[in-house]
Amino acid sequence: SLRPQELRSGCFWRGVLAEAVATLIFVGVVLGASAAPGPLAPALAGGLVAGALACTLGAPQANPALTLALLCTRKLGALRGATGLLAQCAGAVLASAAARLALPDDAGFVTRVSAAGTAGQALAWETFATFQLALAAFATANRAAPQGGLALGSAVAAGALAAGPVSGGSMNPARSLGPAIVTGIWDSHWVSPRHPRVPPDSDPSVGMG
């Protein structure tokens, strides 16, 4: 239910700010690692930064997929969820714009569907990877920071490595949306969302959930 009085709470806005900052940091780190050849660097970078953020910023979702899961299970209020989603998207766009200015080549920013797989396979892998990430996030919600951060970071890295060769392994709509807005690449944008195909011998970039 909507509770407008939340807008007068400092704790509410600190949570929204944490979502924006966490998403900015997460997307920035993954995009920076995407400059390296191969999917390993972005997957490891995403897992490490996800674990670090879980331990330092009070376990922000930094992922619209996780925020929507919390909304659907009524573990998050509608107003808090909506503002969190906007903050996450804003953080991702800012990180993508900064990365595009700082890095010489933005070709690896947009997660891509490999030509080695079909759109259905990409969607299946992306769904599976996001599901295991959400499962880890829910299972560790009440755990102490070190253990929860380790589990969440491991789920991010594992999902990115597993789904990366087919779908790009985004698991995070904000991580996909930010680069798409900045680069203007929206082709077949519906698998997390889906992304342009690349040749089988190219390495699709990967990122979080």
Short mmCIF file of all heavy atoms in Angstrom, two decimals, residues 1-3 6 12 16 19 61 63-64 66-68 70-72 75-89:
data_model
loop_
_atom_site.label_atom_id
_atom_site.label_comp_id
_atom_site.label_asym_id
_atom_site.label_seq_id
_atom_site.Cartn_x
_atom_site.Cartn_y
_atom_site.Cartn_z
N SER A 1 0.83 -1.19 0.00
CA SER A 1 0.00 0.00 0.00
C SER A 1 0.87 1.25 0.00
O SER A 1 1.99 1.23 0.50
CB SER A 1 -0.92 0.00 1.22
OG SER A 1 -0.15 -0.01 2.41
N LEU A 2 0.31 2.32 -0.54
CA LEU A 2 1.04 3.58 -0.59
C LEU A 2 0.95 4.28 0.76
O LEU A 2 -0.12 4.40 1.34
CB LEU A 2 0.46 4.49 -1.68
CG LEU A 2 0.71 4.05 -3.12
CD1 LEU A 2 -0.05 4.95 -4.08
CD2 LEU A 2 2.19 4.09 -3.44
N ARG A 3 2.09 4.76 1.23
CA ARG A 3 2.14 5.50 2.50
C ARG A 3 2.92 6.79 2.26
O ARG A 3 4.14 6.82 2.43
CB ARG A 3 2.80 4.64 3.58
CG ARG A 3 1.95 3.45 4.01
CD ARG A 3 2.62 2.65 5.09
NE ARG A 3 3.79 1.94 4.58
CZ ARG A 3 4.61 1.22 5.34
NH1 ARG A 3 4.40 1.11 6.62
NH2 ARG A 3 5.64 0.60 4.79
N GLU A 6 5.85 8.34 4.26
CA GLU A 6 7.22 7.85 4.15
C GLU A 6 8.14 8.89 3.53
O GLU A 6 9.35 8.91 3.80
CB GLU A 6 7.27 6.58 3.30
CG GLU A 6 6.73 5.34 3.99
CD GLU A 6 6.87 4.11 3.13
OE1 GLU A 6 6.58 4.20 1.92
OE2 GLU A 6 7.28 3.06 3.65
N PHE A 12 13.90 6.79 4.77
CA PHE A 12 13.38 6.45 3.45
C PHE A 12 14.31 6.97 2.36
O PHE A 12 14.70 6.23 1.46
CB PHE A 12 11.99 7.06 3.28
CG PHE A 12 11.39 6.88 1.91
CD1 PHE A 12 10.62 5.76 1.63
CD2 PHE A 12 11.59 7.82 0.91
CE1 PHE A 12 10.06 5.58 0.37
CE2 PHE A 12 11.03 7.66 -0.35
CZ PHE A 12 10.27 6.54 -0.62
N VAL A 16 16.82 5.20 -0.54
CA VAL A 16 16.76 5.51 -1.98
C VAL A 16 18.15 5.91 -2.47
O VAL A 16 18.60 5.47 -3.55
CB VAL A 16 15.74 6.62 -2.26
CG1 VAL A 16 15.80 7.06 -3.72
CG2 VAL A 16 14.33 6.14 -1.91
N GLU A 19 20.37 2.94 -2.91
CA GLU A 19 20.10 2.20 -4.14
C GLU A 19 20.80 2.85 -5.33
O GLU A 19 21.38 2.17 -6.19
CB GLU A 19 18.59 2.11 -4.39
CG GLU A 19 17.84 1.23 -3.42
CD GLU A 19 18.24 -0.22 -3.50
OE1 GLU A 19 18.74 -0.65 -4.56
OE2 GLU A 19 18.07 -0.93 -2.50
N GLN A 61 19.42 -3.56 -2.92
CA GLN A 61 19.15 -4.49 -4.01
C GLN A 61 20.04 -4.17 -5.22
O GLN A 61 20.59 -5.06 -5.85
CB GLN A 61 17.68 -4.43 -4.43
CG GLN A 61 16.71 -4.94 -3.39
CD GLN A 61 16.01 -3.80 -2.67
OE1 GLN A 61 15.48 -2.90 -3.31
NE2 GLN A 61 15.98 -3.85 -1.36
N ASN A 63 19.33 -3.69 -8.05
CA ASN A 63 18.89 -4.55 -9.14
C ASN A 63 17.36 -4.50 -9.22
O ASN A 63 16.69 -4.98 -8.30
CB ASN A 63 19.37 -5.98 -8.90
CG ASN A 63 19.06 -6.92 -10.04
OD1 ASN A 63 18.15 -6.70 -10.82
ND2 ASN A 63 19.83 -7.99 -10.14
N PRO A 64 16.79 -3.95 -10.29
CA PRO A 64 15.33 -3.89 -10.40
C PRO A 64 14.65 -5.26 -10.32
O PRO A 64 13.51 -5.35 -9.84
CB PRO A 64 15.11 -3.26 -11.78
CG PRO A 64 16.33 -2.43 -12.01
CD PRO A 64 17.44 -3.23 -11.40
N LEU A 66 15.47 -7.77 -8.37
CA LEU A 66 15.31 -8.10 -6.96
C LEU A 66 14.28 -7.21 -6.30
O LEU A 66 13.51 -7.66 -5.44
CB LEU A 66 16.67 -7.97 -6.25
CG LEU A 66 17.78 -8.91 -6.72
CD1 LEU A 66 19.03 -8.69 -5.89
CD2 LEU A 66 17.33 -10.36 -6.64
N THR A 67 14.25 -5.94 -6.68
CA THR A 67 13.26 -5.02 -6.13
C THR A 67 11.85 -5.46 -6.50
O THR A 67 10.94 -5.44 -5.66
CB THR A 67 13.51 -3.59 -6.63
OG1 THR A 67 14.83 -3.18 -6.23
CG2 THR A 67 12.51 -2.61 -6.03
N LEU A 68 11.65 -5.87 -7.75
CA LEU A 68 10.33 -6.34 -8.18
C LEU A 68 9.96 -7.63 -7.45
O LEU A 68 8.78 -7.84 -7.12
CB LEU A 68 10.33 -6.57 -9.69
CG LEU A 68 10.35 -5.30 -10.55
CD1 LEU A 68 10.52 -5.66 -12.02
CD2 LEU A 68 9.06 -4.50 -10.35
N LEU A 70 10.81 -8.40 -4.40
CA LEU A 70 10.39 -7.98 -3.06
C LEU A 70 9.00 -7.36 -3.08
O LEU A 70 8.20 -7.57 -2.17
CB LEU A 70 11.41 -6.99 -2.49
CG LEU A 70 12.78 -7.55 -2.14
CD1 LEU A 70 13.74 -6.43 -1.77
CD2 LEU A 70 12.66 -8.54 -0.98
N LEU A 71 8.71 -6.61 -4.14
CA LEU A 71 7.38 -6.02 -4.27
C LEU A 71 6.31 -7.11 -4.43
O LEU A 71 5.24 -7.04 -3.82
CB LEU A 71 7.34 -5.06 -5.46
CG LEU A 71 7.97 -3.68 -5.25
CD1 LEU A 71 8.08 -2.94 -6.58
CD2 LEU A 71 7.14 -2.86 -4.27
N CYS A 72 6.60 -8.09 -5.27
CA CYS A 72 5.63 -9.16 -5.52
C CYS A 72 5.37 -10.01 -4.29
O CYS A 72 4.26 -10.54 -4.12
CB CYS A 72 6.12 -10.04 -6.67
SG CYS A 72 6.11 -9.24 -8.28
N LYS A 75 7.30 -7.75 0.55
CA LYS A 75 8.34 -7.48 1.53
C LYS A 75 8.87 -6.06 1.40
O LYS A 75 9.76 -5.64 2.13
CB LYS A 75 9.49 -8.48 1.36
CG LYS A 75 9.10 -9.92 1.64
CD LYS A 75 10.28 -10.86 1.50
CE LYS A 75 9.88 -12.30 1.75
NZ LYS A 75 9.42 -12.53 3.12
N LEU A 76 8.30 -5.30 0.45
CA LEU A 76 8.72 -3.93 0.20
C LEU A 76 7.49 -3.12 -0.17
O LEU A 76 6.65 -3.59 -0.95
CB LEU A 76 9.74 -3.90 -0.94
CG LEU A 76 10.50 -2.60 -1.18
CD1 LEU A 76 11.41 -2.28 0.00
CD2 LEU A 76 11.32 -2.71 -2.45
N GLY A 77 7.37 -1.92 0.40
CA GLY A 77 6.24 -1.06 0.10
C GLY A 77 6.26 -0.55 -1.33
O GLY A 77 7.33 -0.44 -1.94
N ALA A 78 5.08 -0.21 -1.86
CA ALA A 78 4.98 0.22 -3.25
C ALA A 78 5.76 1.51 -3.49
O ALA A 78 6.46 1.65 -4.50
CB ALA A 78 3.52 0.42 -3.63
N LEU A 79 5.67 2.47 -2.58
CA LEU A 79 6.36 3.75 -2.76
C LEU A 79 7.87 3.57 -2.67
O LEU A 79 8.61 4.12 -3.49
CB LEU A 79 5.87 4.75 -1.71
CG LEU A 79 6.31 6.20 -1.91
CD1 LEU A 79 5.84 6.74 -3.26
CD2 LEU A 79 5.77 7.08 -0.78
N ARG A 80 8.29 2.80 -1.70
CA ARG A 80 9.72 2.53 -1.55
C ARG A 80 10.26 1.77 -2.76
O ARG A 80 11.35 2.04 -3.25
CB ARG A 80 9.95 1.73 -0.27
CG ARG A 80 11.39 1.30 -0.04
CD ARG A 80 12.28 2.51 0.23
NE ARG A 80 13.63 2.09 0.51
CZ ARG A 80 14.52 1.74 -0.42
NH1 ARG A 80 14.18 1.81 -1.70
NH2 ARG A 80 15.73 1.38 -0.09
N GLY A 81 9.47 0.83 -3.25
CA GLY A 81 9.89 0.07 -4.41
C GLY A 81 9.99 0.92 -5.66
O GLY A 81 10.96 0.82 -6.42
N ALA A 82 8.99 1.78 -5.88
CA ALA A 82 8.98 2.62 -7.08
C ALA A 82 10.14 3.61 -7.08
O ALA A 82 10.82 3.78 -8.10
CB ALA A 82 7.65 3.37 -7.18
N THR A 83 10.38 4.25 -5.95
CA THR A 83 11.50 5.20 -5.88
C THR A 83 12.83 4.47 -5.97
O THR A 83 13.80 4.98 -6.55
CB THR A 83 11.44 6.02 -4.58
OG1 THR A 83 11.33 5.13 -3.45
CG2 THR A 83 10.25 6.97 -4.59
N GLY A 84 12.89 3.26 -5.43
CA GLY A 84 14.11 2.47 -5.54
C GLY A 84 14.42 2.10 -6.98
O GLY A 84 15.57 2.18 -7.41
N LEU A 85 13.39 1.74 -7.73
CA LEU A 85 13.58 1.41 -9.15
C LEU A 85 14.10 2.61 -9.92
O LEU A 85 15.02 2.49 -10.75
CB LEU A 85 12.27 0.93 -9.75
CG LEU A 85 11.78 -0.46 -9.32
CD1 LEU A 85 10.36 -0.71 -9.83
CD2 LEU A 85 12.72 -1.54 -9.83
N LEU A 86 13.52 3.77 -9.67
CA LEU A 86 13.98 4.99 -10.36
C LEU A 86 15.42 5.32 -9.99
O LEU A 86 16.22 5.70 -10.85
CB LEU A 86 13.07 6.16 -10.01
CG LEU A 86 11.64 6.11 -10.56
CD1 LEU A 86 10.81 7.27 -10.01
CD2 LEU A 86 11.66 6.16 -12.08
N ALA A 87 15.75 5.14 -8.72
CA ALA A 87 17.12 5.43 -8.26
C ALA A 87 18.11 4.46 -8.91
O ALA A 87 19.21 4.86 -9.32
CB ALA A 87 17.19 5.32 -6.74
N GLN A 88 17.74 3.20 -9.01
CA GLN A 88 18.62 2.21 -9.64
C GLN A 88 18.87 2.54 -11.10
O GLN A 88 20.02 2.48 -11.58
CB GLN A 88 18.00 0.82 -9.50
CG GLN A 88 17.99 0.29 -8.08
CD GLN A 88 17.00 -0.84 -7.90
OE1 GLN A 88 16.35 -1.28 -8.85
NE2 GLN A 88 16.87 -1.32 -6.67
N CYS A 89 17.82 2.89 -11.82
CA CYS A 89 17.98 3.22 -13.24
C CYS A 89 18.82 4.48 -13.42
O CYS A 89 19.67 4.56 -14.31
CB CYS A 89 16.61 3.40 -13.89
SG CYS A 89 15.65 1.87 -14.00
#
